[in-house]
Short mmCIF file of all heavy atoms in Angstrom, two decimals:
data_model
loop_
_atom_site.label_atom_id
_atom_site.label_comp_id
_atom_site.label_asym_id
_atom_site.label_seq_id
_atom_site.Cartn_x
_atom_site.Cartn_y
_atom_site.Cartn_z
N TYR U 52 13.36 -12.09 -5.13
CA TYR U 52 13.69 -11.15 -6.20
C TYR U 52 15.17 -11.32 -6.58
O TYR U 52 16.05 -11.03 -5.78
CB TYR U 52 13.41 -9.71 -5.77
CG TYR U 52 11.94 -9.45 -5.53
CD1 TYR U 52 11.44 -9.36 -4.24
CD2 TYR U 52 11.06 -9.33 -6.60
CE1 TYR U 52 10.08 -9.14 -4.02
CE2 TYR U 52 9.71 -9.12 -6.39
CZ TYR U 52 9.22 -9.02 -5.09
OH TYR U 52 7.89 -8.82 -4.88
N GLU U 53 15.39 -11.79 -7.80
CA GLU U 53 16.76 -12.04 -8.26
C GLU U 53 17.39 -10.78 -8.86
O GLU U 53 18.60 -10.58 -8.77
CB GLU U 53 16.75 -13.15 -9.31
CG GLU U 53 16.72 -14.54 -8.70
CD GLU U 53 17.83 -14.78 -7.69
OE1 GLU U 53 18.99 -14.45 -7.98
OE2 GLU U 53 17.52 -15.28 -6.58
N ASP U 54 16.57 -9.95 -9.50
CA ASP U 54 17.11 -8.81 -10.27
C ASP U 54 17.35 -7.59 -9.40
O ASP U 54 16.86 -6.49 -9.68
CB ASP U 54 16.19 -8.48 -11.44
CG ASP U 54 16.32 -9.54 -12.52
OD1 ASP U 54 17.43 -10.08 -12.69
OD2 ASP U 54 15.30 -9.85 -13.16
N VAL U 55 18.08 -7.82 -8.32
CA VAL U 55 18.45 -6.72 -7.43
C VAL U 55 19.95 -6.80 -7.21
O VAL U 55 20.52 -7.88 -7.11
CB VAL U 55 17.65 -6.77 -6.09
CG1 VAL U 55 17.97 -8.03 -5.31
CG2 VAL U 55 17.90 -5.54 -5.25
N ALA U 56 20.60 -5.65 -7.18
CA ALA U 56 22.02 -5.57 -6.86
C ALA U 56 22.21 -4.34 -5.99
O ALA U 56 21.29 -3.51 -5.87
CB ALA U 56 22.85 -5.47 -8.13
N SER U 57 23.38 -4.23 -5.37
CA SER U 57 23.57 -3.09 -4.47
C SER U 57 24.88 -2.37 -4.77
O SER U 57 25.83 -2.97 -5.28
CB SER U 57 23.55 -3.55 -3.01
OG SER U 57 24.67 -4.36 -2.75
N PHE U 58 24.89 -1.11 -4.44
CA PHE U 58 26.09 -0.29 -4.64
C PHE U 58 26.16 0.72 -3.50
O PHE U 58 25.21 1.47 -3.28
CB PHE U 58 26.00 0.44 -5.99
CG PHE U 58 27.28 1.16 -6.35
CD1 PHE U 58 28.31 0.49 -7.00
CD2 PHE U 58 27.45 2.51 -6.04
CE1 PHE U 58 29.50 1.15 -7.33
CE2 PHE U 58 28.63 3.17 -6.36
CZ PHE U 58 29.65 2.49 -7.02
N ALA U 59 27.27 0.74 -2.77
CA ALA U 59 27.40 1.66 -1.64
C ALA U 59 28.02 2.97 -2.10
O ALA U 59 28.95 2.98 -2.91
CB ALA U 59 28.26 1.03 -0.55
N GLY U 60 27.49 4.08 -1.60
CA GLY U 60 28.06 5.37 -1.96
C GLY U 60 27.41 6.50 -1.19
O GLY U 60 26.45 6.29 -0.44
N ASP U 61 27.96 7.68 -1.39
CA ASP U 61 27.49 8.88 -0.69
C ASP U 61 26.90 9.82 -1.75
O ASP U 61 27.62 10.28 -2.64
CB ASP U 61 28.70 9.53 0.01
CG ASP U 61 28.34 10.79 0.77
OD1 ASP U 61 27.23 11.34 0.56
OD2 ASP U 61 29.18 11.25 1.56
N VAL U 62 25.61 10.12 -1.62
CA VAL U 62 24.96 10.95 -2.65
C VAL U 62 25.55 12.35 -2.74
O VAL U 62 25.41 13.02 -3.77
CB VAL U 62 23.42 11.07 -2.43
CG1 VAL U 62 22.72 9.75 -2.69
CG2 VAL U 62 23.08 11.65 -1.07
N SER U 63 26.21 12.80 -1.68
CA SER U 63 26.74 14.17 -1.71
C SER U 63 28.05 14.26 -2.51
O SER U 63 28.59 15.35 -2.68
CB SER U 63 26.94 14.70 -0.29
OG SER U 63 28.03 14.06 0.32
#
Side-chain angles (χ1 to χ4, degrees):
Y52 295 104
E53 278 306 313
D54 287 326
V55 63
S57 67
F58 188 85
D61 180 346
V62 291
S63 72

